[in-house]
Amino acid sequence: MANAAAIGLSARDLYLFNKGNYFHSYRTLGAHPVQQGGKAGVRFTVWAPNAKQVCVAGSFNEWNSSGHRMERIGETGVWSLVIPDIGPGAVYKYEIITTDDKRLLKSDPYAFAAELRPSTASIVTELFDYNWNDGDWHQRKLEDSPYHEPMLIYEVHLGSWRNDGKELFWTYEQMADELVDYVVRMKYTHIELLPITEHPLDQSWGYQATGYYAATSRYGTPKQLKMLVDRCHQKGIGVILDWVPGHFCKDDHGLREFDGTPIYEGKDWKRAEKPLWGTLAFDFGCTEVQSFLISNAIYWMEVFHVDGLRVDAVASMIDLHFDKPPELYTYNVFGGTENTDALRFLKRLNEVVFQYYPNALMIAEDSSAWPAVTSPTYMGGLGFNFKWNMGWMNDMLRYMALDPNERMRHHNLVTFSLMYAFSENYVLPLSHDEVVHGKRSLLNKMSGTYEQKFAQLRLFYGYWMSHPGKKLLFMGGEWGQFDEWKDAESLDWMLLDYELHGAMHNYVTSLNDRYGKTPSLWERDCDPGGFEWIDVHNAAQSVVVFMRRGHAADEFSIVICNFSYHHHPEYRIGVPKPGRYRTALHSEAAAFGGSVSTAGSTKVYHSSKTPWHGRPCSVTLDLPPLSFQLLVFARGEPRRIHEEAVLH
């Protein structure tokens, strides 16, 4: 055995790693170019506590590892070796001899790059080889709170946003030009990338990973990915990564029984197995696994400058019975089904991330009813700062699929979400999960004729954008992709040449722009005082009217949604104060594919003194069927206090 100092490692770092408290473990483990004895080489370091012997095999020794045996570092379970005269670009694996003398050839769990599938070897790569130009972006992040800023996320699967044919993927560098400019034009604030950690199967979309520290080689090099993130930041766009700590692949070259024993998945095979996915769960009670995963979260923020993580499948992590048959049930020490190790891990994860990156985004994709997901850990919460609102999404997609003539009996599907809208800090997701596997596209979920589907989707988007909570839309939804998502093909960009799809694209661009320019729609997303119902009870006509408030006293907007087929040419709504109310957006404007002229969709209404809906004043407006209208209060003293409509 060797001591840590003799091999150029820090004994303190290895101690912290073993205790679950080394949050930059990627600086030690993995393959790192080094200078030793005046010669360039690479230091390889791996955790394999139960191995009899570990060697390095690679392109530099013709995959004959006999001359490159690693040394065990004390009782840490860590092995290390410096190999001279090699550097970045070297291809390698670890050859592990198990206690029963089996020979395993494993990819590096801390590999920073990997070969293109189906090859599986790791590649030596420099971590800090990029000159960043996003200082202004990070300064702005320090000054702004995500709770009070607009957040409009464009969810993207890089392999199918655009490509040149089957498996002819665009590179990260191409995306840095095309995707970023598109997102800027569309007025999004953030891009969320489906997992880009290395994975063997394209159809898993990255959710079944083998290389947690390696950006997938499908789209290029780690340096090119840094270029993409840098370009986003220079253009004012934040970057969120889907992150999957809940499970990993069983592929032989990966983490499963890495040293011949279950060190990443744990010894309890019933708890480790995730039969629905054919994967294995991490052992969240293992301290070295904690160092591995928490460091991975920090890695993407430090090395790649990402702004946050959307943490996948939290419900499956915290529930020991989630998607499992009875024969795989296990229980915690208290006899319950909560995974207490996972709960402690998630709390620690969020504490550490916010310690290093106070304004990071940690977003839980959680379908459970677990309380206080977005409350601080010192208050008993899990410590995330946002959570996907799956209940709102399920209720509204069910409602929009109904025939409008049936909606009066299901009015609660629209209104119920406001009973809990401020119990957590929510993101309203319209994600990839809702447009695959026979679920149909968002457009095709809408009821009615071809034209009515577009009207309904415009209405739905308007309600979504004005409902409390940050926003996420999966790619293709912005023009009404008619077919559900095809992960092996490019999006149907040719649809933009069709009138209604092009008009939908125009509508979403305008809606996104209006959202960013209307502080009342986002400043108080997490504050109950930012929302007021004006009329919540009109189930008979399937109409809802509500108000969103910003921080300033006169910063408010009025939302009117008609979910029925009926036209109401003189529909009166109560307003909170006298003055002028300008139509900021009308989903039925002709430019968006609707039937209302420019003059009819850009009106200014002057309030009357007629009380209505418990408000001191009111306005009367034309309310077309299947329509969304956004009125904003025009500041300043009104010229006339009587009801009329004039062109904007």
Side-chain angles (χ1 to χ4, degrees):
M1 293 186 183
N3 62 50
I7 205 78
L9 301 177
S10 163
R12 178 180 180 275
D13 289 345
L14 295 181
Y15 172 81
L16 293 174
F17 171 74
N18 289 143
K19 293 297 184 181
N21 293 320
Y22 188 19
F23 306 129
H24 297 86
S25 58
Y26 51 89
R27 296 179 184 176
T28 295
L29 285 92
H32 294 270
V34 295
Q35 291 283 333
Q36 190 174 70
K39 298 183 69 174
V42 174
R43 186 187 68 223
F44 296 89
T45 308
V46 66
W47 177 59
N50 302 309
K52 180 184 288 186
Q53 179 62 60
V54 184
C55 304
V56 184
S59 57
F60 41 85
N61 59 18
E62 298 182 346
W63 298 95
N64 181 352
S65 66
S66 59
H68 290 130
R69 293 190 174 193
M70 305 179 79
E71 295 186 75
R72 185 192 292 268
I73 311 301
E75 301 300 323
T76 63
V78 173
W79 302 71
S80 193
L81 172 69
V82 175
I83 301 179
D85 301 320
I86 64 172
V91 179
Y92 70 100
K93 282 188 176 182
Y94 295 119
E95 182 180 270
I96 295 174
I97 308 301
T98 69
T99 54
D100 56 357
D101 292 320
K102 291 181 181 178
R103 176 183 177 273
L104 306 176
L105 203 57
K106 292 285 191 176
S107 301
D108 189 346
Y110 282 84
F112 307 125
E115 290 183 307
L116 178 64
R117 55 88 182 101
S119 298
T120 58
S122 305
I123 302 174
V124 177
T125 305
E126 288 277 8
L127 281 187
F128 303 102
D129 60 344
Y130 184 82
N131 295 319
W132 291 88
N133 296 287
D134 61 350
D136 290 345
W137 168 262
H138 290 290
Q139 184 60 42
R140 279 175 46 199
K141 278 177 58 180
L142 292 175
E143 298 168 356
D144 296 333
S145 165
Y147 306 106
H148 309 302
E149 295 295 320
M151 189 187 301
L152 181 54
I153 304 165
Y154 188 57
E155 188 187 34
V156 177
H157 175 251
L158 290 177
S160 58
W161 185 72
R162 280 192 186 273
N163 59 49
D164 294 325
K166 185 175 176 58
E167 299 186 13
L168 298 175
F169 303 119
W170 281 21
T171 66
Y172 297 118
E173 190 170 355
Q174 285 175 288
M175 292 289 180
D177 292 326
E178 300 292 335
L179 174 61
V180 178
D181 287 346
Y182 177 79
V183 167
V184 170
R185 289 197 302 273
M186 290 297 297
K187 309 298 183 180
Y188 291 99
T189 65
H190 293 74
I191 297 174
E192 181 174 311
L193 301 177
L194 268 62
I196 57 171
T197 46
E198 194 57 83
H199 53 284
L201 181 67
D202 292 357
Q203 288 74 23
S204 79
W205 315 326
Y207 287 96
Q208 296 183 22
T210 49
Y212 275 74
Y213 287 81
T216 178
S217 53
R218 287 167 177 80
Y219 315 127
T221 66
K223 194 169 186 177
Q224 288 177 316
L225 175 57
K226 293 170 186 176
M227 184 184 302
L228 170 58
V229 176
D230 198 12
R231 179 72 186 281
C232 284
H233 289 169
Q234 292 173 41
K235 293 284 188 175
I237 303 297
V239 180
I240 302 166
L241 294 188
D242 271 16
W243 190 59
V244 189
H247 63 163
F248 58 87
C249 275
K250 290 184 175 182
D251 294 56
D252 287 341
H253 68 280
L255 300 177
R256 179 174 65 92
E257 295 191 349
F258 183 78
D259 64 0
T261 65
I263 59 173
Y264 283 93
E265 62 269 40
K267 296 178 181 178
D268 189 338
W269 67 272
K270 289 185 177 181
R271 185 169 291 193
E273 286 287 342
K274 299 187 84 93
L276 185 66
W277 298 101
T279 55
L280 295 169
F282 283 102
D283 178 5
F284 299 110
C286 174
T287 51
E288 289 88 356
V289 171
Q290 293 167 17
S291 287
F292 174 82
L293 287 173
I294 296 176
S295 291
N296 189 243
I298 298 298
Y299 167 83
W300 290 106
M301 295 180 186
E302 180 187 27
V303 178
F304 287 87
H305 286 208
V306 304
D307 301 287
L309 303 174
R310 175 266 198 188
V311 180
D312 182 62
V314 168
S316 76
M317 297 171 65
I318 64 179
D319 181 359
L320 292 171
H321 291 182
F322 190 91
D323 280 341
K324 288 192 175 185
E327 59 268 24
L328 292 183
Y329 284 178
T330 59
Y331 298 87
N332 62 36
V333 294
F334 306 106
T337 64
E338 302 86 4
N339 189 333
T340 52
D341 288 338
L343 290 167
R344 283 191 290 269
F345 163 75
L346 290 170
K347 293 177 181 181
R348 188 66 174 133
L349 165 72
N350 288 316
E351 289 169 352
V352 172
V353 167
F354 291 124
Q355 174 186 342
Y356 288 102
Y357 299 98
N359 281 344
L361 298 172
M362 292 297 289
I363 304 170
E365 189 266 311
D366 175 29
S367 58
S368 77
W370 191 267
V373 172
T374 59
S375 293
T377 58
Y378 62 79
M379 296 178 63
L382 291 187
F384 291 93
N385 52 3
F386 288 97
K387 170 183 173 174
W388 276 19
N389 192 335
M390 312 290 276
W392 171 89
M393 178 269 297
N394 286 320
D395 284 350
M396 283 306 301
L397 291 180
R398 178 184 167 197
Y399 182 80
M400 296 306 299
L402 293 170
D403 185 303
N405 293 320
E406 296 294 318
R407 287 176 177 165
M408 65 181 68
R409 287 180 280 276
H410 301 275
H411 195 65
N412 63 299
L413 292 175
V414 178
T415 61
F416 178 67
S417 60
L418 271 303
M419 299 293 290
Y420 62 87
F422 304 101
S423 63
E424 303 276 7
N425 305 324
Y426 281 118
V427 173
L428 307 185
L430 298 173
S431 76
H432 68 280
D433 279 330
E434 308 315 313
V435 295
V436 290
H437 302 322
K439 295 180 182 178
R440 298 178 293 171
S441 68
L442 290 179
L443 179 65
N444 211 10
K445 291 178 191 288
M446 304 295 117
S447 62
T449 66
Y450 182 73
E451 290 77 11
Q452 287 168 344
K453 286 179 182 291
F454 283 93
Q456 298 232 55
L457 189 57
R458 293 193 301 269
L459 162 61
F460 175 50
Y461 282 164
Y463 178 72
W464 164 69
M465 195 68 82
S466 51
H467 187 287
K470 308 307 181 184
K471 312 298 187 292
L472 177 143
L473 181 66
F474 184 56
M475 63 184 196
E478 68 270 26
W479 63 70
Q481 178 98 356
F482 200 83
D483 291 340
E484 68 178 23
W485 175 40
K486 303 178 286 290
D487 56 63
E489 302 176 25
S490 179
L491 290 176
D492 295 332
W493 290 90
M494 73 285 189
L495 289 178
L496 291 173
D497 295 331
Y498 291 80
E499 182 178 1
L500 285 178
H501 292 280
M504 177 64 75
H505 196 247
N506 184 22
Y507 173 67
V508 171
T509 306
S510 299
L511 182 64
N512 293 355
D513 185 50
R514 173 44 53 193
Y515 168 78
K517 292 177 177 176
T518 310
S520 59
L521 296 182
W522 41 262
E523 276 189 338
R524 301 176 72 181
D525 270 329
C526 306
D527 174 4
F531 178 91
E532 293 179 35
W533 284 113
I534 292 176
D535 186 10
V536 64
H537 299 298
N538 193 356
Q541 293 178 305
S542 298
V543 175
V544 293
V545 185
F546 58 88
M547 178 165 51
R548 294 297 310 277
R549 288 190 178 276
H551 290 314
D554 59 354
E555 180 62 60
F556 63 89
S557 51
I558 309 293
V559 176
I560 311 99
C561 296
N562 180 8
F563 290 101
S564 78
Y565 281 140
H566 300 289
H567 182 201
H568 306 288
E570 294 187 351
Y571 194 90
R572 185 179 293 274
I573 63 170
V575 293
K577 60 192 299 185
R580 293 176 294 135
Y581 291 82
R582 176 171 58 86
T583 306
L585 198 73
H586 197 311
S587 70
E588 277 298 289
F592 305 144
S595 59
V596 177
S597 67
T598 301
S601 63
T602 56
K603 287 185 176 180
V604 174
Y605 298 93
H606 293 262
S607 66
S608 76
K609 294 181 179 179
T610 305
W612 209 255
H613 291 143
R615 311 285 169 169
C617 312
S618 58
V619 299
T620 298
L621 45 79
D622 181 33
L623 190 56
L626 304 177
S627 67
F628 158 84
Q629 294 182 57
L630 177 69
L631 306 184
V632 295
F633 181 66
R635 297 174 179 82
E637 290 297 318
R639 293 190 296 272
R640 295 183 297 278
I641 306 300
H642 65 279
E643 187 176 289
E644 65 175 347
V646 297
L647 293 183
H648 172 50

